[in-house]
Amino acid sequence: MEDRSLRMPSDDEIAAINARHLIQTPLRPADLLFVFGTRVDVAERVDAAVRLWRDGLVHWAIVSGGVTPGDISSECEIIKAAMVARGIPAERILEEYRAQNTGENVIFSLPVIDAALGRNAIRSVICLGNSWTARRYPMTLQRHWPEVEKMLVTVDSFATPRALWHTDPEFRRRVLIEWDKIEPYKAKGFIAEWPVG
């Protein structure tokens, strides 16, 4: 079977991905920063979290991510420790350390947020994750927490500019894998359309 992630997308598909998937949102102060766990580009994710904190755009964060095969520390532990080392107070960072995928990041984090802050007190969230996963973070949040306003910040360590993602074989492969998940995940109810409108 053909590996669709290795295809060279058409100009129309590149334009659609740029317009609908690899989106950035305007940022304004948010009630919560939702840091989706990773083992890839951890330093870039922590840099972005610290920048958002120092710029006064967030005053609370949750880091979500479990232990990946072959490791003993959870993504949550590793990312939170790096955020604290860079100056974000540990007591301002909520922890979710079981999630193994984006859906679980949200599903397992909601009770943690509710217990610590009260979900109803949170009106806006900045999602922070990998550039190639892009809008799937807020789409997952939209499926499970539609009431909250969602903003998106994404990071990566590719030297290739984001608009030229399709010219870098590995960047292209990662983007296409995530892009190809959108419609099947919507059909299965894992994610919901976002932005709405």
Side-chain angles (χ1 to χ4, degrees):
M1 188 168 140
E2 176 195 10
D3 184 347
R4 286 192 35 83
S5 71
L6 300 179
R7 71 187 183 275
M8 178 52 76
S10 68
D11 289 347
D12 286 348
E13 188 175 24
I14 292 167
I17 290 169
N18 287 342
R20 299 201 325 258
H21 186 63
L22 298 177
I23 59 176
Q24 297 291 305
T25 61
L27 292 180
R28 61 178 194 74
D31 296 322
L32 181 69
L33 174 64
F34 198 124
V35 183
F36 287 81
T38 189
R39 281 287 194 266
V40 180
D41 298 341
V42 169
E44 289 77 8
R45 194 159 312 195
V46 170
D47 287 346
V50 169
R51 191 170 50 253
L52 291 165
W53 177 267
R54 289 187 180 151
D55 289 348
L57 291 171
V58 293
H59 299 290
W60 286 96
I62 185 163
V63 180
S64 172
V67 177
T68 53
D71 216 326
I72 56 169
S73 299
S74 69
E75 293 171 344
C76 173
E77 290 173 86
I78 291 166
I79 294 169
K80 178 177 178 175
M83 289 168 64
V84 171
R86 297 277 307 278
I88 301 178
E91 65 272 14
R92 289 292 182 157
I93 306 172
L94 308 178
E95 302 173 26
E96 186 293 304
Y97 44 84
R98 295 182 302 144
Q100 296 294 311
N101 58 53
T102 308
E104 289 183 354
N105 287 139
V106 173
I107 292 166
F108 294 164
S109 291
L110 288 177
V112 175
I113 295 165
D114 210 19
L117 306 173
R119 263 173 69 181
N120 294 337
I122 305 296
R123 292 196 231 20
S124 55
V125 174
I126 296 174
C127 300
L128 174 58
N130 298 320
S131 63
W132 54 89
T133 308
R135 72 178 177 137
R136 199 160 62 75
Y137 298 116
M139 290 180 83
T140 306
L141 210 56
Q142 181 70 23
R143 163 65 179 82
H144 299 283
W145 198 6
E147 307 83 13
V148 76
E149 177 192 357
K150 296 148 199 77
M151 293 168 270
L152 178 62
V153 173
T154 59
V155 297
D156 62 65
S157 60
F158 287 107
T160 305
R162 199 163 298 171
L164 299 176
W165 59 270
H166 55 282
T167 66
D168 179 302
E170 180 57 19
F171 204 171
R172 179 173 65 239
R173 186 186 73 79
R174 291 185 193 184
V175 169
L176 292 176
I177 286 170
E178 293 299 331
W179 172 248
D180 288 344
K181 289 177 180 177
I182 298 291
E183 292 308 318
Y185 279 22
K186 277 169 50 178
K188 290 176 180 173
F190 295 164
I191 60 177
E193 193 56 57
W194 179 90
V196 177

